[in-house]
Amino acid sequence: MLLETCIQENVCSIIYTSSIEVAGPNPHGDPIVNGNEETPYSTSLKSPYSRTKKEAEELCRRAQGEALRNGGRLATCTLRPMYIFGAGCRFTLGQMRDGIRNGDVLRRMSPRKALVNPVFVGNVAFAHLQAARALRDPRRRALVGGNFYYVADDTPPVSYSDFNHVVLAPLGFDIQERPTLPFPVLYLLCFLMEMLQMMLRPFVRFTPPLNRQLLTMLNTPFSFSYQKAKRDLGYTPRYGWEEARKITTDWLALMLAKERAHMKAK
């Protein structure tokens, strides 16, 4: 519907914001280290989120070159950001709240070796601006149109759990040395919760706090390069790692103060 409206209204370019979860990891937990848009990988999209993201990517790809009412042609491209962090990130905030309940100790859900490369929200926004400029540029429009690009930055590769610790450690948080339960046990528990969710669906709707796809993602090395976006879009990170980390930690400090005040008021 949106694509049809854009064509009818002579919108000349569309940038679709997808997700790294479209790429994987697959149920086997096969790793990718510093991959790119050409890296071969066999995946199976189980969750509605990743599946619908992939379907939307395909719709955008097929819309590339569609004729507009004014005689022009539509150009589309897709951006696949890594895990996005920064001020307002509800996932990091949720980990902080869990850590508070655990005596200011973060629960480890991913091993240190499961390296990923998160991307700062400001750099994701800048990548969108660069993609928009590229699609308006007659010299680059044909090159970029119909393609997808991974969006990362120079955040050091780290596991999801250790990333949360890096931005929360200045606020006094520690982290568990190892996960509370081994991966196979957690995987079995996730499977049982998913089965219970399915059986209760006609009567009660609930979302398990952890599922098998998320658990696999937390435990799989999965990192990608932004070199293609640099080459085609002219994208380079606007925010360095130290600045991005400070912005994130400063915001978390404000949220922590609110959480502490709320706890005292109870």
Side-chain angles (χ1 to χ4, degrees):
M1 179 67 73
L2 178 60
L3 286 168
E4 292 174 0
T5 301
C6 289
I7 291 170
Q8 292 297 317
E9 297 299 322
N10 299 314
V11 174
C12 63
S13 57
I14 292 176
I15 302 164
Y16 177 65
T17 308
S18 187
S19 166
I20 184 60
E21 290 191 42
V22 167
N26 61 28
H28 303 294
D30 295 327
I32 290 181
V33 178
N34 199 35
N36 58 46
E37 289 78 359
E38 307 303 322
T39 301
Y41 193 75
S42 175
T43 189
S44 175
L45 304 176
K46 299 293 186 181
S47 77
Y49 176 79
S50 55
R51 190 169 59 251
T52 54
K53 282 286 189 182
K54 182 62 176 178
E55 290 170 357
E57 279 194 12
E58 183 60 22
L59 288 172
C60 282
R61 186 190 66 80
R62 291 205 302 262
Q64 165 66 21
E66 284 283 343
L68 305 177
R69 295 180 67 185
N70 64 2
R73 295 282 176 177
L74 177 66
T76 70
C77 79
T78 294
L79 302 183
R80 291 182 182 176
M82 306 298 106
Y83 167 74
I84 302 173
F85 72 92
C89 178
R90 60 187 180 91
F91 299 108
T92 313
L93 184 59
Q95 291 299 309
M96 185 189 76
R97 287 169 173 163
D98 288 343
I100 292 172
R101 290 189 287 269
N102 196 37
D104 291 354
V105 177
L106 302 174
R107 300 184 189 278
R108 179 175 289 281
M109 297 300 296
S110 53
R112 288 186 176 86
K113 64 181 181 180
L115 301 181
V116 296
N117 51 336
V119 59
F120 182 60
V121 63
N123 289 326
V124 176
F126 184 58
H128 281 74
L129 293 176
Q130 291 300 98
R133 293 184 180 109
L135 289 177
R136 289 199 300 265
D137 184 343
R139 297 169 300 174
R140 292 190 289 166
R141 186 177 175 86
L143 171 67
V144 174
N147 282 319
F148 74 90
Y149 297 89
Y150 289 114
V151 180
D153 57 21
D154 298 323
T155 299
V158 66
S159 76
Y160 287 107
S161 291
D162 288 305
F163 173 80
N164 291 328
H165 185 223
V166 166
V167 295
L168 284 165
L171 306 181
F173 285 83
D174 202 348
I175 187 172
Q176 295 173 336
E177 282 297 313
R178 56 181 59 86
T180 305
L181 295 172
F183 177 84
V185 175
L186 285 171
Y187 195 89
L188 176 60
L189 290 174
C190 287
F191 172 75
L192 294 175
M193 284 192 291
E194 289 173 38
M195 293 302 101
L196 180 63
Q197 179 190 30
M198 185 173 62
M199 289 187 294
L200 294 179
R201 187 170 297 163
F203 313 102
V204 178
R205 289 189 175 272
F206 78 98
T207 302
L210 189 63
N211 57 52
R212 285 175 291 171
Q213 179 166 321
L214 177 57
L215 181 66
T216 301
M217 183 176 71
L218 293 172
N219 284 267
T220 303
F222 214 65
S223 60
F224 289 84
S225 165
Y226 63 82
Q227 291 307 306
K228 184 179 179 181
K230 180 178 181 180
R231 184 184 72 237
D232 292 1
L233 308 180
Y235 163 75
T236 53
R238 174 162 287 189
Y239 296 87
W241 162 235
E242 292 302 329
E243 183 180 7
R245 179 171 61 174
K246 183 178 186 306
I247 291 171
T248 305
T249 299
D250 287 351
W251 172 73
L252 287 166
L254 293 174
M255 296 299 103
L256 179 61
K258 291 182 180 179
E259 290 290 326
R260 303 286 197 208
H262 181 69
M263 292 171 64
K264 286 183 179 179
K266 283 188 174 181

